Each structure stands twice: as C-alpha cells, then as structure tokens.
C-alpha cells in the first residue's frame, strides 16, 4: 500500500495533520478530515499538485450541530481521496468549488436543496432535485425532517 | 347502439394509438413497453402504434410512481387527449407506488392524479403481461 | 432575428427520465441549453435511512431499471467492506457475469434508441430483437428480465450450473456475430456516419474538465474505466481492453459502445470457462459495524459511485448515490452548443440517458415581442427540412 502511504505522508507533512487522523481504509481509499478554514487551500493542493483532478461527488450529511460535506476526489490511477469538512448548521455557508471542478455544480445544487447549505458563488440556474413548488426552509435530508412537515402538501399514502 | 356508433366502435378496437409517458419511474417498465413493440412481441400487429403527441392518442400508457414535479404535467397530458380515452397503469409503481410508496417526493399510484382503466402489475411488467392487458382492454371496448 | 427558447421535455424523444432542456435558438443553431432536472427525484437516499440494509438493497436496485445490477452490486460492495466480509470468489465471478450481461443489454438498447433518434428504425428493430437473446438468458438465470435480485450481503443468491455457463458462452458467441454486423453497418453506412459525425462534439480537454465518464468520455479519448483502474468483483482476473476513440462526437460514442460489446463477449467466454468453484455466499451480520465506505462500479453509462455510512445498527446512517448520467449531463450542455435543433435528440441520447418517449406541441414565445404561437412537431419538422434544403441537403425522405 505504498501509494496510499505516500499520499498520507504528503498530506500530513504539508498540512500539519496527525498521520493517525488520515485513514487508509483499503487499497485506493484514503479518508481524511480538514477544518473549513484550511479546506480551500487543501483542495487546491490535492487537485493541482497531487493529481486528484476528478470530483466524483459531494456527500452532505446532517451531523446534529454541524453539516458535514465529504468531497470524493479521485485520480487517474483509481485512488480516491475522500475529504470531509464541516460547518455549523446555524451558518452553513461554503464556497463553491466549480472553478476547480466544473462538474461540481450539480452536486452543490443538491446540497443547497436537500440540506440547506448556502453555497456562495454558484452560477444562476434552476434548482435540483426538488420540485418547483417545494416550500422554503424544508430540507429533506436533515435528520429532523419528516414528510409530514409538509403540511397539506404531504401526499396521502396509497394503499396504506 | 345505432350503425354509426357500431362503426366507430369497430374502428376504435381495430387500432388504438398509444402514447407512453414516464412519470418518474426507474425505466424498467418503460423498456418493457418499448420491447413489446419490437419484433419478438410485436404489439403493432394489433394495429397499435406508438404516437408522439397526446393529441393523436387513444390510450395513455403510464409507468412510474407519480413524483411531485411531474404530477401537473401528467394531468396536462391526460387533458390533451381527445375523448374517449383510456389509461393503462403499467408496473407496480404505477398501480400503487411500489417500493417507493412512502418516499417523500412520490405521490403513489397514478390513480391519485387521473382515472385509470387497467392496472398491469409487475416489477417490471413483462411484455407478455402488457400485451395481455392491452388485449383485455380492447375486449371491454 | 430574436432568439427563440424551446423546451425539450419532460415528455420528449430521447429522454429516458423526464428531464427538461430549455434550448435557446438562433435560427436553427443552439446557442444555449439550460437544464431542469429532478422529475425523477423519488427521495431514495432519505428512504434508505429508514430501511434496513436488505430492504435498501432491493430499493436501490430500482433506482434505474437498465442498470439495476449496477446499483445493487455497488451498494452491497460498500456494505460488505464495512462489515469486513470476505466474499467468496465464485460469488464475485457470478456478479461479474451479470454485470457484463447487463452491459450487453444496455448497449444494444442504446444502439436501437440512437438509431431511432436519427430515423433508422430498422436498426432499432434489429438490435432489440438481438437484445431479446440476452433478456431470455437473464430471465432463465435469475428469474426476471430486469431487476435480477441476485445480490445479498455476503454473496449472491443463486448459483449457475455448468449447463447455464455453456448457454452463456453460446449466447455470447451468437451475439458476437450480430455485433460484427452492426460494426460493419456503423463503419460503412454513409447516411448513418453523416448523421452521427460532427454532432455533439466535446474536445478531449472539455471532456476531462467537465468530468465526462464512461463511453461519453472514452469517445473523447479520456482513458478511464473503473473496471481497470479501480477493479472490483472479478475484473482483476479478466483479460480485456479499454476501448477509446478519438472522434469526440456521437459517432465515436457509437464505436466505443460497439467495441465494448466485443470485449464483453470475450470476458463472458472467459468467465464461463474459468468460473471458480466454492460457496456462493458468506453469512453476513444483520447489524453492520460503524464506519464509512465508498464503492465504485463501471455502469454501462459510466462510473457509478455509492457512499455508505453505517452506525452499528441494522439501518444505514447515510447512503449517497451518484449515477453516471449526472456526471455526463454537464458535458451535454457543452455538446448542444453550436449544433442544430434537429440534432438535439441524438446528442442527448448519445450520453445514453435512458429510453425515449416522444414529442408534443411546442409553444414558441417571441423573445422580443409578446406574440406567441403554437407550433406542432409536424410544422417544426417541415421548417427544418426547408432549412436544410437551402443548404443543399434533402431529409424529407427520413421518417422520424
């Protein structure tokens, strides 16, 4: 697993992260976590200098007090570096990464719609994936959201 | 019924034209619907043609649980069809919501939005089942 | 002349899932394409959080009907990684057999649909007739033509007998003959080549930048294939080439998919003769220990990726699915630029979004003024035929 260990070494040395906080799950899978202030610099480095130029997707999660975003980046040799960062749920502002990864635009729109993140710098466009009449302030992927919060927009369940 | 009505009924049974619409399905039922038009199953031998616009169609073949976004479009397409019109719900999702029945963006079966004449269950409904269903519908006309 | 905006979708040719493309035209050239997606959003990721792993497995199988085995396998691979299970080789090989059979049915489906989009209905009928060979085979191996239900945590549910393996090899060889015929058509039939070449072009740099995956990317010489770069299931033991092409357009995508079919037949014959012996599953726990895993899979359309996070209970904490078409849709907006309106259906179909519906009448609003008129498909088609006649091409004979 020399490849993954080399990645681990480079990240921990360059960004002063403890080597134990970087997890090599198996071959070709490295997971790490970065605070949001250092995130942009970190992402630029892995994208431009370490070859992780493919963004597979962004997974947003509701972790109670914070919203976490995992950026799944990959390299042409098949290795994936999954970078997790978090912001407070009360102020979920993050900057767009579409200048580094143009394909991120759909993934960021998903974060806005489903989790209520506020992504700064997104170009104007239609929302995705929720429908047009969706009420404001309702974020389905948050843990505390239940479909009956839609009030009279909630569908009757057929056959139940 | 008088002779005129008998002629019209004969013409309708001989060749109903269908329009197919996917209301948010996983596409398995849609592929089976298109497969029933291909040489092995050949729905066209009943005089059935797949048309492009609802204004030319007698029968609306629908698949998929109705998602919130598509519900208005479905109703609009139903209204654009001229009378008399029939609706066939293909697949378990179209009948009752299927595996998605309690998902937040899914309304359930198609009969929550428009009246349905024939239900063909299956996940996906086999082309043979679709042909059987369409022939049964023709039999009731 | 003012720019005209035309919506394509949600009910339209070449669109599998209802999607809406708002196309801005200058005459017949497309200057801008705006996408409105989400018609198919069913809330599956949220639903998985309230279902246990086995229920989620069968729910995820129905994310897409054409690549059902893709989503099911990709998910279960992540779950097995979380549970630390060592899946037996025979199960991995059986999964691979189904994966490749699914690739065949998907590519033949695409071939027929693309042919339909350019008005070549004969090829639609031929290729779907051949596709029935694969569907019959899948039904006899797994019980269903689509949504095979082969996977379970720890392995597969059904075994393959020696006779079934021989049947697989025989079907692969029969289809290989038919595919050679299609390759011949694709390389010799001038109308087809003319219709598909130069359409939907994405340069290599744009394909890399916009993240195009699968045959869409490989037609622009992006040499990426998850089966080779990040092997899963039994691919490490199989001998296959990754097919790339330098045409950068829809014609290139056709050639890539046909080439992939030929590779798949070789793989199936290899699997049929080298199927490892042994059990087909290991016992899996009901509760999966806490952790997170990312699984990738080369779906017929591109790279499919699943992220699963478990929390020690029998229900997943978070499941994230990114299907390949979403990655390719960014490239579509680029591809539609500078193409003609009549090419829009085949360009959208070329990324293989799924199956096709048909048309409806269109409301054209004159952007400068307030007048609006309804134009039927027939009028639009006549308009486009006239427009092409002025350029010296006569398409009035093509039936669409």
């Amino acid at each position: 697993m020399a490849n993954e260990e080399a990645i681990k070494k480079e990240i921990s040395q360059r960004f002063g992260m403890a080597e134990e906080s970087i997890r090599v799950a198996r071959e070709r899978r490295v997971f790490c976590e970065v605070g949001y202030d250092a995130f942009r610099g970190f992402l630029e480095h892995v994208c431009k200098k370490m070859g992780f130029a493919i963004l597979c997707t962004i997974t947003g999660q509701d972790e109670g007090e914070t919203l976490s975003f995992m950026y799944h980046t990959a390299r042409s040799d098949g290795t994936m570096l999954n970078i997790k960062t978090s912001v407070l749920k009360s102020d979920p502002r993050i900057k767009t990464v579409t200048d580094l990864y143009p394909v991120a635009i759909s993934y960021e729109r998903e974060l806005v719609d489903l989790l209520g993140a506020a992504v700064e710098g997104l170009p104007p466009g239609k929302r995705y994936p929720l429908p047009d009449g969706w009420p404001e302030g309702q974020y389905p992927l948050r843990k505390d959201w239940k479909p009956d919060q839609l009030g009279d927009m909630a569908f009757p369940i057929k056959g139940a | 019924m008088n002779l005129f009505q008998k002629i019209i009924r004969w013409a309708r049974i001989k060749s109903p034209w269908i329009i197919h619409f996917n209301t948010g399905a996983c596409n398995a039922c849609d592929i089976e619907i298109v497969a029933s038009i291909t040489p092995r199953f050949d729905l066209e031998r009943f005089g059935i043609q797949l048309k492009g616009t609802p204004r030319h169609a007698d029968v609306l073949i629908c698949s998929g649980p109705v998602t919130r976004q598509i519900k208005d479009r479905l109703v609009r397409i139903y209204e654009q069809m001229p009378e008399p019109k029939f609706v066939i719900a293909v697949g378990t999702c179209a009948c009752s919501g299927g595996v998605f029945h309690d998902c937040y963006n899914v309304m359930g079966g198609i009969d929550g939005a428009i009246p349905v004449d024939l239900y063909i269950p299956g996940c996906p409904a086999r082309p043979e089942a679709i042909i059987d269903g369409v022939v049964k519908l023709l039999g009731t006309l | 002349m003012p720019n005209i905006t035309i919506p394509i979708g949600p009910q339209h040719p070449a669109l599998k899932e209802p999607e809406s493309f708002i196309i801005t035209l200058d005459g017949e050239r497309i200057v801008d394409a705006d996408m409105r997606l989400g018609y198919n959003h069913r809330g599956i990721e949220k639903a998985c959080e309230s279902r246990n792993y086995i229920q989620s497995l069968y729910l995820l199988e129905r994310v897409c009907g054409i690549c059902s085995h893709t989503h099911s396998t990709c998910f279960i691979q992540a779950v097995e990684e979380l549970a630390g299970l060592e899946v037996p080789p025979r199960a991995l090989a059986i999964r691979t057999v189904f994966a490749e059979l699914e690739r065949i049915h998907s590519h033949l489906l695409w071939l027929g649909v693309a042919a339909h989009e350019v008005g070549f209905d004969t090829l639609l009928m031929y290729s779907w007739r051949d596709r029935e060979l694969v569907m019959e085979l899948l039904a006899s191996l797994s019980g269903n033509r689509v949504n095979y239900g082969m996977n379970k945590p720890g392995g597969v549910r059904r075994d393959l007998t020696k006779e079934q393996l021989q049947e697989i090899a025989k079907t692969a060889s029969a289809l290989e003959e038919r595919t050679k015929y299609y390759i011949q058509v694709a390389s010799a039939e001038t109308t087809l080549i003319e219709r598909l070449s130069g359409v939907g072009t994405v340069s290599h740099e744009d394909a890399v930048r916009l993240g195009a995956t699968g045959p869409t990317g490989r037609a622009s010489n992006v040499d990426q294939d998850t089966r080779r770069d990040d092997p899963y299931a039994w691919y490490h033991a199989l001998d296959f080439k990754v097919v790339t092409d330098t045409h950068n357009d829809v014609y290139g995508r056709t050639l890539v998919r046909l080439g992939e079919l030929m590779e798949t037949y070789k793989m199936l014959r290899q699997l049929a003769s080298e199927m490892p012996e042994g059990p087909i599953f290991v016992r899996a726990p009901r509760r999966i220990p806490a952790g997170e895993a990312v699984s990738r899979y080369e779906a017929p359309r591109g790279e499919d990726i699943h992220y699963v996070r478990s929390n020690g209970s029998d229900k997943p904490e978070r499941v994230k699915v990114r299907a390949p078409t979403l990655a390719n849709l960014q490239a579509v907006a680029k591809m539609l630029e500078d193409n003609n309106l009549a090419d829009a259906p085949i360009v959208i179909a070329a990324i293989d979004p799924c199956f096709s519906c048909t048309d409806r009448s269109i409301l054209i609003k004159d952007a400068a003024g307030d007048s609006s008129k309804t134009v039927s498909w027939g009028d639009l088609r006549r308009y486009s035929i006239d427009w092409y006649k002025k350029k010296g091409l006569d398409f009035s004979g093509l039936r669409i």
Side-chain angles (χ1 to χ4, degrees):
Chain A
M1 301 242 263
N3 176 27
E4 293 76 22
E5 291 298 324
I7 296 174
K8 193 164 154 175
K9 235 186 179 53
E10 177 165 353
I11 299 176
S12 70
Q13 277 175 354
R14 229 196 113 86
F15 293 97
M17 295 156 68
E19 280 211 9
E20 295 74 45
S21 69
I22 304 173
R23 184 169 73 100
V24 176
R26 63 167 175 93
E27 50 178 355
R28 298 185 296 271
R29 298 282 187 272
V30 183
F31 290 80
C32 66
E33 184 158 355
V34 179
Y36 194 64
D37 346 303
F39 178 67
R40 176 71 201 197
F42 187 89
L43 198 64
E44 270 186 38
H45 179 77
V46 304
C47 174
K48 301 202 171 125
K49 301 283 181 8
M50 289 177 72
F52 288 95
I54 305 170
L55 179 68
C56 297
T57 190
I58 307 175
T59 304
Q61 293 184 61
D62 177 356
E63 313 237 26
E65 292 286 312
T66 56
L67 291 181
S68 74
F69 308 104
M70 182 172 285
Y71 289 72
H72 304 271
T73 61
R75 202 154 66 169
S76 53
D77 65 355
T79 318
M80 283 187 77
L81 177 61
N82 305 290
I83 311 160
K84 183 162 158 174
T85 184
S86 318
V87 289
L88 287 174
K89 205 194 263 192
S90 47
D91 182 24
R93 279 178 305 140
I94 55 172
K95 294 209 178 37
T96 180
V97 297
T98 43
D99 48 335
L100 290 172
Y101 303 104
V103 73
I105 186 171
S106 306
Y107 312 142
E108 290 178 340
R109 284 204 209 282
E110 244 184 304
L111 295 176
V112 170
D113 248 7
L114 296 177
L115 269 184
V119 182
E120 294 169 356
L122 262 184
K126 303 253 174 1
R127 69 187 304 172
Y128 171 75
L130 291 174
D132 294 320
W134 194 263
E136 278 287 323
Q138 302 241 11
Y139 306 116
L141 269 183
R142 290 206 180 171
K143 292 290 179 188
D144 50 3
W145 186 85
K146 296 270 176 313
D148 43 16
Q149 283 181 22
L150 287 171
D152 19 304
M153 271 187 69
F155 283 141
I157 297 177
K158 300 292 295 176
Chain B
M1 53 177 98
N2 64 26
L3 181 64
F4 188 59
Q5 284 174 323
K6 279 210 182 108
I7 291 178
I8 292 187
R9 179 171 169 271
W10 169 84
R12 284 199 185 121
I13 298 176
K14 283 302 167 189
S15 92
W17 284 0
I18 56 178
I19 178 172
H20 163 260
F21 189 51
N22 170 348
T23 64
C26 73
N27 305 297
C29 292
D30 306 298
I31 307 295
E32 300 295 63
I33 291 171
V34 177
S36 48
I37 296 174
T38 53
R40 180 162 174 215
F41 301 104
D42 205 4
L43 212 50
E44 292 196 351
R45 61 194 145 119
F46 298 114
I48 294 172
Q49 260 202 346
L50 189 61
K51 297 308 281 184
T53 154
R55 296 200 190 274
H56 290 182
D58 299 304
V59 181
L60 172 64
I61 295 200
C62 246
S63 63
V66 180
T67 60
R68 209 177 282 273
Q69 177 78 338
I70 207 117
K71 174 165 175 285
D72 293 332
R73 278 82 174 168
L74 174 65
V75 172
R76 219 181 293 170
I77 287 186
Y78 180 70
E79 286 166 2
Q80 281 179 356
M81 288 169 66
E83 291 283 349
K85 49 196 174 188
F86 306 94
V87 177
I88 302 183
V90 172
T92 317
C93 292
C95 298
S96 67
V99 279
F100 305 110
H101 68 101
D102 57 356
C103 294
Y104 61 80
N105 214 30
V106 160
M107 198 178 90
I110 289 173
D111 50 13
I114 53 178
V116 175
D117 295 287
L118 183 74
Y119 298 86
I120 306 181
C123 190
R126 290 184 62 104
E128 288 100 327
I130 297 174
I131 296 178
D132 187 41
V134 170
V135 168
K136 282 201 165 80
L137 180 70
L138 293 179
T140 63
L141 281 181
Chain C
M1 174 165 183
N3 279 356
I4 292 179
T5 315
I6 289 192
I8 293 192
Q11 186 231 354
H12 191 272
L15 297 184
K16 176 186 204 171
E17 303 162 292
E19 288 151 350
S20 178
F21 293 86
I22 320 277
I23 312 254
T24 310
L25 298 174
D26 171 24
E28 183 121 348
R29 295 234 140 230
I30 300 175
V31 288
D32 190 32
D34 189 22
M35 296 186 293
R36 176 37 168 134
L37 311 174
Y39 289 93
N40 242 338
H41 177 67
R42 286 155 278 168
I44 293 179
E45 290 177 10
K46 179 89 181 168
C48 283
E49 292 174 14
S50 50
R51 290 171 214 261
N52 65 33
Y53 286 96
I54 301 199
Q55 290 170 324
S56 296
L57 173 64
Y58 293 116
L59 178 65
L60 282 171
E61 206 173 19
R62 287 153 176 83
V63 165
C64 172
I66 300 181
C67 17
S68 58
H69 186 76
T70 302
H71 289 290
S72 145
T73 308
C74 200
F75 174 69
I76 211 66
Q77 275 173 185
V79 173
E80 284 161 357
E81 191 182 315
L82 288 170
L85 295 173
E86 185 79 39
V87 182
R90 192 174 174 91
L92 292 175
I94 292 179
R95 276 187 192 162
T96 314
V97 167
F98 276 85
E100 291 307 311
L101 285 174
E102 187 173 67
R103 197 178 309 275
I104 296 179
H105 112 77
S106 173
H107 281 339
L108 284 175
L109 186 151
W110 178 85
L111 188 63
V113 166
H116 178 69
E117 296 318 324
V118 297
F120 195 1
D121 270 357
T122 313
L123 188 55
L124 165 72
M125 296 300 169
Y126 272 22
S127 56
W128 280 55
R129 180 201 59 187
D130 295 333
R131 184 175 162 264
E132 288 300 321
L133 285 173
V134 171
M135 304 308 274
E136 263 302 290
L137 182 62
L138 282 165
S140 76
L141 295 179
S142 73
N144 199 357
R145 291 158 57 100
V146 187
N147 299 337
Y148 322 120
M150 284 304 286
N151 286 324
K152 69 190 235 187
V156 294
R157 287 172 63 222
R158 276 181 233 270
D159 202 353
L160 296 178
T161 65
K162 248 193 352 217
E163 292 75 28
Q164 285 174 324
L165 288 171
Q166 281 165 355
E167 190 62 39
I168 293 172
K170 249 186 16 196
T171 310
S173 302
L175 282 171
E176 196 173 27
E177 289 308 307
R178 301 298 305 164
T179 311
K180 283 198 186 124
Y181 171 68
Y182 296 136
I183 295 180
Q184 201 195 351
V185 165
S187 30
E189 178 61 44
T190 349
T191 332
L192 196 60
I193 300 177
E194 288 290 321
R195 194 69 170 82
L196 300 177
S197 298
V199 169
T201 332
V202 180
S203 69
H204 174 80
E205 292 73 32
D206 279 333
V208 170
R209 192 176 57 91
L210 295 168
T213 87
T216 311
R218 289 198 278 276
S220 300
N221 212 11
V222 175
D223 189 12
Q224 268 164 29
D225 186 328
T226 317
R227 294 175 291 174
R228 181 201 58 196
D229 301 330
D230 194 354
Y232 53 93
W234 204 238
Y235 287 103
H236 57 272
L238 290 180
D239 190 15
F240 64 100
K241 271 189 3 241
V242 172
V243 182
T244 58
D245 194 77
T246 48
H247 280 99
N248 294 353
D249 56 18
V250 174
Y251 185 56
R253 284 165 216 142
T254 316
L255 293 178
V256 166
R257 287 190 176 99
L258 289 171
E260 280 184 8
L261 278 175
M262 300 304 282
E263 292 298 315
T264 296
Y265 302 136
K266 288 210 291 262
M267 280 196 257
L268 280 174
R269 279 197 290 268
Q270 198 185 345
L271 278 165
S273 61
E274 294 175 11
M275 175 70 63
E277 299 295 331
I280 54 171
F281 68 94
V282 291
R283 275 202 61 90
R286 222 178 133 75
R287 290 179 213 280
I288 307 287
E292 46 191 9
V294 180
S295 164
R296 290 158 97 192
Y297 185 110
E298 181 76 16
R301 280 155 193 71
E303 176 197 68
D304 182 28
I305 180 166
H306 283 226
Y307 163 82
V308 181
R309 180 164 164 192
S310 53
N311 55 15
S313 71
D314 64 346
K315 298 190 172 50
E317 170 80 14
R318 175 84 168 97
V319 175
K320 172 87 170 86
V321 176
R322 193 232 50 193
T325 306
L326 191 56
N328 287 334
L329 276 173
Q330 301 302 323
V332 166
K334 185 94 184 81
M335 282 180 218
L336 284 173
E337 270 174 32
D338 269 355
N339 269 300
N340 297 323
L341 179 62
D343 292 325
I346 182 64
V347 167
I348 299 172
I351 64 165
D352 197 1
C354 239
F355 149 86
S356 58
C357 308
T358 10
D359 58 7
R360 62 174 183 178
S361 67
I362 297 172
L363 187 67
I364 298 185
K365 276 200 158 72
D366 185 11
D370 278 322
S371 63
S372 66
K373 63 184 174 106
T374 311
V375 176
S376 75
W377 186 254
D379 289 336
L380 261 183
R381 183 166 169 264
R382 266 190 293 279
Y383 174 76
S384 82
I385 289 176
D386 287 334
W387 194 84
Y388 273 105
K389 274 204 177 115
K390 293 199 197 96
K391 292 175 95 183
L393 297 163
D394 189 357
F395 284 135
S396 47
L398 268 181
R399 193 179 73 80
I400 294 198

